[in-house]
Amino acid sequence: MKEVDIVLVNPPLIWGQEDRLDIKPPLNLIYLASHLNSKGFKCSIIDVISEKITFSQVLNKLSEIQPRFLGVPFYQGTRETALELTREFKKICPCSIVIAGGPLVTALSENVASEKSVDICVIGEGEVTLEEIIRSDAKNLQNIPGIAFCKNGEILKNSLREPIADLDSLPFLDFSLINSNAYYDFQKSLNMPVWLFLTTSRGCPFKCVFCATPVLWPGKLRRNSVKRVIEEIRHQKNLNSEINIGFMDDSFFSDKRWLSEFFVEIEKLKIKYCCIGRADQLSLEEIRLLSNTGCHYVGLGVETGNSERQKKIKKYLNIEKLKFSVKNLAEYNILVKCFFMLGFPDETPEEMLETINLAVELKRLGMHECNFFPVSIYPGTELAEKFDFHEFSSRIYEKYDTNNRTVQEVKELGEDIGEKRLSIYGNIPGLNINKYFSAERILQIVKIAYNKVEKSEDAEISELTS
């Protein structure tokens, strides 16, 4: 059997919570592994979530494989989870090289590179950088752009790598690298269509102060050609005719010429799809075309209901156009989900109330569901420039529904809808960020927000401040 060049491990949010499921597979690792295998390397993925294997079982697998390289993604809320893996791996495979990647590494490469259990940090896109590391057998690291590493006690950071200009050059995703059926089965248990997730672009034309996308993918928006997107969908449908397509782009509607061509071509496939974008970028004609071409669901980032806060976070969303889009998407039978944030550093109780009651109004206009995220500070973002390093702390919300029930099942049992929804999206601030409320109180306000939207009932300021 050919020696395994690299194993990529997708850890759970918290070790010991391997049954905490997600509807989406680790797309980042699938992109990397698909590329490396297309270049003749042998790359595999250990997806703890879909395989439901414990920490010790992961280590046993790695011990048996003895890969030349181990790749682990680092996120802010799962930094310690990832480090626990790399530290134990080094004990059982001391000759293997550990490569760290992911958003936290891109933003804080020197910090992660200082860890003794991490040999190389990949900054930004990983496909070409990983290829060069493996091909060189990690020799002459100083010649490889886009990495940081420790040498003789000194952290060295090479020049940044230019982003991949032609995304069409990347191979189709190989979903056989993971147990995709585990995700499909979970989606079905939630009464969802079967979604296979893809991206058609990297980057975003907007520069919101709280968002890490400009750090991860700097520069202009890059996009697959429509032709390439359609080819991949056909390829994936040939492998599994049951799937619908979920597009995970940050800003699906921003390139109007691309979108117009996409509508023409996607209609021919007669499939269902979903996407995410800005609510104020949709015209009535585009909403009609979304409906006519099979769009089942649209996610819209709102963040705040306060117009001045929209300016402060540099999102500049037009609230009236948001209401227009939600109302018309619903009238065209497209499910709408909106995303909100509560607890910006100087956000007042009155602003939070405005956001909650905007969500209630959107529910009355036809919004199907929503998410409220407690604000966390992500390193590398513009928002983080005003904070010290220790204030970037965030953690994973440990409570979760071990039975992975639907929100409707929880509702029918009379349990707290807010608690259920909060537990699905695990990253929460580890320290007090907001000027007016503690981090714990922000979590309580998030729960209040969910329950108010569920009841289509306006909130009162006293409910937030009491």
Side-chain angles (χ1 to χ4, degrees), residues 178-198:
I178 61 163
N179 177 16
S180 293
N181 287 330
Y183 293 98
Y184 298 151
D185 290 343
F186 184 44
Q187 292 165 5
K188 291 175 184 177
S189 75
L190 299 177
N191 300 315
M192 295 172 59
V194 171
W195 295 110
L196 181 141
F197 293 95
L198 301 171

Side-chain angles (χ1 to χ4, degrees), residues 223-450:
R223 198 143 212 175
N224 286 112
S225 67
V226 170
K227 180 176 181 292
R228 172 64 169 71
V229 172
I230 298 302
E231 287 174 351
E232 172 133 21
I233 293 172
R234 286 200 174 104
H235 169 76
Q236 302 294 352
K237 286 283 287 183
N238 285 337
L239 297 175
N240 184 348
S241 61
E242 186 182 15
I243 60 168
N244 305 284
I245 302 299
F247 295 111
M248 297 303 296
D249 306 72
D250 285 313
S251 189
F252 197 77
F253 313 128
S254 58
D255 185 335
K256 297 301 183 180
R257 181 179 296 180
W258 186 96
L259 189 63
S260 178
E261 184 183 349
F262 170 80
F263 283 142
V264 171
E265 298 302 325
I266 197 73
E267 186 175 19
K268 300 172 185 177
L269 297 186
K270 307 299 180 186
I271 64 167
K272 284 185 178 180
Y273 67 93
C274 64
C275 54
I276 302 168
R278 280 183 66 103
D280 57 2
Q281 289 188 321
L282 283 172
S283 67
L284 186 59
E285 174 62 10
E286 287 166 341
I287 291 172
R288 184 188 70 79
L289 286 169
L290 284 168
S291 176
N292 288 353
T293 58
C295 184
H296 170 78
Y297 163 106
V298 168
L300 303 173
V302 179
E303 314 343 324
T304 176
N306 180 271
S307 296
E308 286 305 308
R309 179 63 51 187
Q310 284 285 342
K311 297 174 185 176
K312 288 181 180 179
I313 64 175
K314 297 185 180 179
K315 188 174 182 76
Y316 305 110
L317 184 72
N318 185 310
I319 301 297
E320 291 307 310
K321 287 186 177 180
L322 161 70
K323 295 175 185 178
F324 168 88
S325 292
V326 169
K327 179 176 181 293
N328 284 285
L329 285 165
E331 287 181 355
Y332 273 92
N333 297 313
I334 297 173
L335 299 180
V336 182
K337 184 174 187 176
C338 293
F339 303 93
F340 303 90
M341 302 175 73
L342 293 170
F344 288 101
D346 60 343
E347 186 179 14
T348 66
E350 289 75 17
E351 287 180 68
M352 294 183 209
L353 181 69
E354 203 171 348
T355 296
I356 295 169
N357 287 342
L358 172 62
V360 172
E361 181 181 357
L362 294 176
K363 172 74 177 295
R364 294 169 183 156
L365 288 172
M367 179 181 73
H368 178 67
E369 63 176 327
C370 65
N371 284 124
F372 289 91
F373 298 98
V375 174
S376 290
I377 308 298
Y378 293 101
T381 64
E382 185 177 338
L383 187 60
E385 293 173 2
K386 301 176 182 178
F387 290 85
D388 294 329
F389 172 77
H390 74 282
E391 291 172 299
F392 299 158
S393 169
S394 63
R395 57 192 172 90
I396 299 301
Y397 194 66
E398 293 203 16
K399 299 177 186 176
Y400 75 108
D401 181 6
T402 55
N403 295 316
N404 290 301
R405 296 168 297 176
T406 65
V407 172
Q408 183 61 32
E409 287 172 322
V410 170
K411 180 180 176 182
E412 290 171 356
L413 290 169
E415 297 180 18
D416 187 353
I417 295 292
E419 177 67 37
K420 168 65 180 180
R421 286 205 174 277
L422 178 62
S423 70
I424 295 173
Y425 295 90
N427 199 70
I428 59 175
L431 296 173
N432 296 333
I433 294 170
N434 181 259
K435 178 179 177 181
Y436 301 93
F437 296 116
S438 68
E440 287 303 315
R441 182 57 189 166
I442 292 292
L443 296 186
Q444 295 305 314
I445 292 172
V446 166
K447 294 178 187 179
I448 290 170
Y450 277 125

